Amino acid sequence: MSAWLAHALAFYTVLISPWWGRYALRRALRQMRANVPRFRMRWYRLILVEQAIIIAVVVAIWRLGDVPAARLGLVLPKSWSFTLAMLVGVCVGLIIPSFLLRAKAQKLRETPWVKLFVPETRRERAGYAAVSIGAGVSEELWIRGFLIYYLSVLLPPLNLIAIAALTSVVFGLLHFYQGVQGIIATAVLGGLFASFYLTTGSLVLPVVLHAIFDLRLLLMFPLRAERAGAVQSTPDDSQP
């Protein structure tokens, strides 16, 4: 059972998820252009459902297949001093530029791509935060945890560094809807997360940094005062 789940998840990762992500993004863009009510919250919920399913499948593979927790990174880091030092250093490197880029970011706020991603209400910001944290947990468990383990079993001649590089390429291709530059940037980011995973032997650092990396958008695009006051009476912020 666990072997079939593992094969199914690998199949989904390589052949289905990239196209599903592209379809979901295009649908969200169409809804945005058509002014569909609560289109962002609908999109966020769709992403959260996928994240929950992926987490459930990886946990099922772990438990049903009696996979050692360490093989999936589900252990504490080997060195807390290194983990905390990297966490502080990377956070400073992400958070400070996020504040500095606010003025430049505002100029891009109304472009379709940015407008789709940037939450406009307090409720949407909470939804985006949930998606960001969910991405940190689900994608690291999925790509760095499961996929590195899966490929190490499937391709034993390859060493962990080669496998980590391969999973980083897969991680980039999962974001191919962002174009060539997005694929390359995401693959490089995936390589960084993979290096943290292999160094610490744990998913703790990659999960936290991944979530913070996505959450920085909330710092770059603060809730606009005029929008914050206006949405109090709109259906988007008052209806469940």
Side-chain angles (χ1 to χ4, degrees), residues 27-154:
R27 188 177 75 165
L29 283 169
R30 288 195 299 268
Q31 291 178 345
M32 181 184 71
R33 295 187 182 108
N35 293 318
V36 175
R38 300 183 294 279
F39 70 90
R40 284 194 191 87
M41 293 304 299
R42 294 170 187 267
W43 188 37
Y44 293 160
R45 292 189 188 105
L46 186 65
I47 296 173
L48 286 169
V49 168
E50 182 191 34
Q51 291 172 349
I53 292 174
I54 288 172
I55 292 173
V57 171
V58 175
V59 170
I61 293 169
W62 169 38
R63 302 304 296 174
L64 295 176
D66 292 326
V67 180
R71 297 296 302 274
L72 295 174
L74 299 176
V75 292
L76 295 177
K78 298 174 183 176
S79 170
W80 276 109
S81 58
F82 174 82
T83 299
L84 293 176
M86 292 305 302
L87 180 60
V88 172
V90 175
C91 284
V92 170
L94 288 175
I95 293 174
I96 293 179
S98 297
F99 282 106
L100 297 177
L101 290 172
R102 277 186 172 185
K104 184 178 180 179
Q106 296 307 315
K107 298 178 181 179
L108 302 174
R109 191 162 194 152
E110 296 305 317
T111 59
W113 179 267
V114 176
K115 188 175 181 180
L116 174 64
F117 274 88
V118 176
E120 294 285 348
T121 70
R122 289 189 177 89
R123 185 173 184 181
E124 287 179 356
R125 288 173 74 83
Y128 179 83
V131 167
S132 299
I133 295 171
V137 175
S138 65
E139 292 182 11
E140 293 308 310
L141 185 61
W142 176 17
I143 304 301
R144 255 62 69 181
F146 162 76
L147 195 57
I148 287 179
Y149 163 72
Y150 179 82
L151 292 178
S152 68
V153 174
L154 189 67

